[in-house]
Amino acid sequence: MTGRARRYLPGIADIRICADEETTERVLEALESVFRCTDPRPYDGGRTYLQVDTGCTDPDTD
């Protein structure tokens, strides 16, 4: 994989939330009320990871 540019899917955001359980739950509720989201994956240290589909179909120029 060395030398290949990283590719991103247009409209997909990788989200990491670092907060206590109550705050994380409130943030997830807000995101899920607007966007399609993957199931959140909790990790040690109060981190939660998920992906959000923002519906954008423009190519990523990054």
Side-chain angles (χ1 to χ4, degrees):
M1 290 220 128
T2 306
R4 284 180 55 182
R6 184 172 178 176
R7 294 178 191 239
Y8 297 92
L9 296 174
I12 303 298
D14 291 315
I15 306 289
R16 179 181 68 189
I17 303 168
C18 297
D20 61 38
E21 229 176 281
E22 183 178 342
T23 302
T24 298
E25 193 60 39
R26 289 177 188 248
V27 170
L28 291 173
E29 287 173 6
L31 288 171
E32 290 171 342
S33 72
V34 179
F35 302 106
R36 291 180 53 209
C37 302
T38 60
D39 291 335
R41 297 180 315 260
Y43 288 88
D44 291 339
R47 296 173 294 163
T48 301
Y49 294 91
L50 68 147
Q51 289 184 315
V52 173
D53 181 355
T54 64
C56 176
T57 57
D58 297 337
D60 190 358
T61 58
D62 186 10

